[in-house]
Amino acid sequence: MKIDSAEIIVTSPDRNFVTLRLTTDEGLVGLGDGTLNGRELAVVAYLKEHVVPLLIGRDPAAIEDTWQLLYRSAYWRRGPVTMAAIAAVDMALWDIKGKAAGMPLYQLLGGASRKGLMAYGHASGKDLPELFDSIRKYLALGYRAIRVQTGVPGLHAIYGIASQEGLPGNKGRRYDYEPAQRGALPAQEDWDTRAYLRHVPGVFEAVRAEFGAELPLLHDAHHRMTPIQAAKLGRALEPYDLFWLEDCTPAENQEALRLVRQHTITPLAIGEVFNTAWDFRTLIQEQLIDYVRASATHFGGISPLKKIMDFAALYQIKSGFHGPTDVSPVGFAAQLHVGLAIHNFGAQEYMEHGARTNRVFRQSMTFKDGWLHPGDAPGLGVELDRDEAGQYPYATAYLPYNRLADGTVHDW
Ligand code: EZ4
Ligand code: CO
């Protein structure tokens, strides 16, 4: 079999998605997700100008060889644009292999290790009543674990709060579908770490008092604290028994986690912005984290995701793959297959895609009683409707950024 043609499909049903569609001379189609939120067209150019010419005529069965070729022959290794492009190819080739075998991908990765994947949903509120309503909504939908994000008194717009569309400058904004706001320039938000640190422990105290001890609760700090601030928050949250505290410090500085770890037993998750195994090496070997937050899309695909989880398994570290709406249904399916197959699955983040997205990408994935399952269709189990996709042209979108009260740019 040979790769016959490659098409890069950019569509923006509820947000922008970049999809690689490979076709073989035997008529098999493979899909791969290369969506990089806010920098989508860089991946399109990387694929179109530098990757597709290498693929035509290659054997689609040679997944590892193709991955190594794309990684090593570039010479300039790693980085989110390169690794999202390689991810798209890797996923499309696994999709083709599954279809050629007539098996869902998880069977090729070793078969199912469980019946379904525990999903966590994104509850949020600008205040406690709104947050409690949101948690109840997710519980009613069947979720068995909840991420809790909350407004902070004095701050106007903050990461992870769904209801901010009513705020000035956020008109029409739905956090759950549109964290990368469509617009010519990025939106500015405000931040104050001390105000946040004062507020968050009381929120978790209230949530535990209302919803009991059993419910797994998670929280995303989105890279905003210094190591000692993160240590302080982790310790302050210990009475509320978090499932994990995510991205407590900026991801580049792995040594920061040593300091955090010395001071708190709150479990730590990190890595949604990591793009190779090297970014996790110290964190896993020194057992500085508890959950791997990589996504198939930003980590070079299914092949490296499976490898890093096998490495993490040596240290009892589990998966917590990144599942925001900016991972397309194709990328999401890829990590559901990996999550079902590996022994060291932890939890799967799940932000439901919008209705238009679900019409463009027809999925065999299911979500029932809080459990996700990738389905049993051959390959990844996702079909792309190109006519539907064509109705939603690319729209410039940026992630927001933060400024402190004195005007300093801060991590978002
Ligand atoms: O901000 O995917 O845990 N989830 C997250 C996400 C990220 C977006 C960035 O594109 O932190 O919501
Ligand atoms: Co996150």
Side-chain angles (χ1 to χ4, degrees):
M1 208 173 359
K2 282 189 165 59
I3 299 170
D4 222 25
S5 65
E7 195 182 335
I8 299 144
I9 296 157
V10 181
T11 181
S12 193
D14 296 290
R15 57 178 313 119
N16 294 316
F17 295 112
V18 175
T19 311
L20 177 68
R21 184 180 187 273
L22 298 181
T23 312
T24 73
D25 54 354
E26 295 181 15
L28 290 178
V29 170
L31 298 177
D33 180 22
T35 307
L36 186 62
N37 196 3
R39 296 291 185 272
E40 297 88 352
L41 300 185
V43 183
V44 172
Y46 193 104
L47 281 168
K48 197 168 145 215
E49 307 295 337
H50 308 296
V51 172
V52 165
L54 279 65
L55 297 179
I56 305 303
R58 285 185 67 80
D59 176 5
I63 301 177
E64 183 67 19
D65 183 63
T66 302
W67 196 97
Q68 298 295 343
L69 174 74
L70 295 177
Y71 184 75
R72 290 170 201 280
S73 74
Y75 186 69
W76 310 106
R77 297 177 187 187
R78 321 205 287 173
V81 175
T82 298
M83 300 313 289
I86 295 178
V89 177
D90 182 83
M91 282 180 213
L93 295 182
W94 276 108
D95 196 18
I96 289 170
K97 194 180 281 292
K99 286 174 179 168
M103 287 183 195
L105 183 66
Y106 71 82
Q107 293 292 5
L108 303 182
L109 298 174
S113 289
R114 58 195 51 79
K115 288 181 281 187
L117 306 179
M118 183 182 78
Y120 71 89
H122 281 200
S124 69
K126 53 185 181 303
D127 51 25
L128 281 180
E130 196 181 276
L131 174 63
F132 286 7
D133 284 351
S134 175
I135 294 174
R136 285 191 196 97
K137 185 190 104 183
Y138 279 95
L139 293 175
L141 290 169
Y143 284 87
R144 293 159 184 271
I146 307 281
R147 192 185 86 160
V148 171
Q149 303 296 131
T150 170
V152 172
L155 298 183
H156 301 293
I158 207 173
Y159 167 78
I161 311 300
S163 60
Q164 294 181 119
E165 70 257 298
L167 292 168
N170 275 350
K171 204 172 171 335
R173 180 181 179 193
R174 287 285 307 161
Y175 157 74
D176 34 358
Y177 295 144
E178 299 291 336
Q181 288 167 286
R182 288 168 167 146
L185 291 169
Q188 183 183 311
E189 298 185 351
D190 51 353
W191 184 248
D192 177 343
T193 306
R194 292 188 69 236
Y196 166 78
L197 289 174
R198 281 194 305 276
H199 186 65
V200 170
V203 170
F204 276 89
E205 183 184 18
V207 170
R208 277 286 175 229
E210 180 74 13
F211 295 94
E214 182 66 26
L215 182 65
L217 297 176
L218 303 85
H219 180 66
D220 190 348
H222 230 250
H223 317 286
R224 290 164 188 206
M225 291 179 283
T226 65
I228 202 69
Q229 288 169 334
K232 183 176 174 173
L233 180 64
R235 188 179 282 185
L237 292 176
E238 282 172 16
Y240 315 116
D241 187 28
L242 263 62
F243 188 90
W244 78 44
L245 172 62
E246 173 181 341
D247 289 339
C248 62
T249 50
E252 296 95 323
N253 180 11
Q254 307 207 347
E255 287 72 18
L257 275 298
R258 287 194 194 119
L259 189 147
V260 179
R261 206 58 153 172
Q262 277 165 23
H263 293 286
T264 181
I265 55 168
T266 290
L268 302 176
I270 206 162
E272 67 186 41
V273 303
F274 289 179
N275 45 71
T276 71
W278 301 99
D279 300 329
F280 277 111
R281 186 175 61 149
T282 304
L283 299 179
I284 290 175
Q285 261 179 338
E286 296 189 19
Q287 305 185 91
L288 301 179
I289 56 169
D290 301 281
Y291 295 93
V292 165
R293 285 285 293 151
S295 69
T297 305
H298 305 121
F299 201 68
I302 292 156
S303 306
L305 197 62
K306 174 71 165 66
K307 288 178 193 175
I308 197 69
M309 288 319 303
D310 289 343
F311 178 52
L314 302 179
Y315 301 91
Q316 296 169 281
I317 294 170
K318 297 186 178 185
S319 69
F321 299 149
H322 191 206
T325 48
D326 47 284
V327 165
S328 90
V330 175
F332 194 66
Q335 55 199 43
L336 291 187
H337 285 282
V338 176
L340 197 69
I342 57 176
H343 177 248
N344 51 334
F345 170 80
Q348 176 60 57
E349 182 178 34
Y350 181 38
M351 281 179 90
E352 294 173 36
H353 283 111
R356 285 186 294 262
T357 300
N358 291 333
R359 283 200 295 275
V360 171
F361 297 94
R362 287 197 298 268
Q363 301 160 64
S364 44
M365 177 274 278
T366 54
F367 176 62
K368 201 161 171 281
D369 301 326
W371 309 112
L372 288 159
H373 192 285
D376 283 304
L380 290 172
V382 182
E383 308 256 325
L384 176 68
D385 184 328
R386 282 187 289 169
D387 293 336
E388 193 74 31
Q391 292 180 30
Y392 306 109
Y394 168 81
T396 306
Y398 283 98
L399 283 155
Y401 70 102
N402 273 326
R403 281 194 194 276
L404 307 179
D406 70 356
T408 307
V409 172
H410 191 73
D411 303 281
W412 183 78

